[in-house]
Amino acid sequence: MTMRISLSSALLAVCFAIGVAATTPAPARAQTAPALPSGEGRDIVAVACTQCHTLNALTAMRDGPVGWKRHVYNMVIRGAQLSPRDVDTVLQYLNTNFGPGQSLPPAKAITLTPGAGKELVETRCALCHDLERVTAAKRQKREWPGVVANMFDRFGLAAPDEASAISSYLAANYGTD
């Protein structure tokens, strides 16, 4: 008898195996929990997120409500043990403590290249990223509009003129051919 395994079944099995391996508790991960700001949802985040990874990835990033929702739902799909009520609590906690405009870990001072759009990069992009990350990103010129559109979407902001100015500035000054 020949057994056929569909691609989706194989992918599901691989994801399950990765999920089982990734959810093996690691004592060193639990030690990162005190770095989280206090508030409702802190304990849920500390337990649910550290089942698979350290909190460094979370505490070093800033995202808007749409972006955090994508991250959390992606983690639930990957096996994060969160009830629907926990998801709402976690989203509120992340938006409050790790949303745009919240302080980022200290970074080295970066001076952007002068040009049209520079001020928008300093005010919009720096809400979530340190400028070193913005300037170090290696993107082809044609990729910048999509990257910027994605960031505006994650932030929940519709400002096509600003997105266009930022994309043009980044492509001209930090884009590769």
Side-chain angles (χ1 to χ4, degrees), residues 117 120 124 148 152 158-168:
L120 285 170
R124 291 292 191 200
V148 172
F152 271 66
D161 293 343
E162 287 184 8
S164 178
I166 291 170
S167 298
S168 295

Side-chain angles (χ1 to χ4, degrees), residues 15-27:
C15 289
F16 177 76
I18 291 170
V20 168
T23 57
T24 302

Side-chain angles (χ1 to χ4, degrees), residues 32-47 55 89 93 97:
T32 62
L36 291 174
S38 62
E40 184 180 1
R42 177 185 184 272
D43 294 339
I44 298 169
V45 167
V47 172
L55 294 174
T89 302
Y93 178 82
N97 294 289

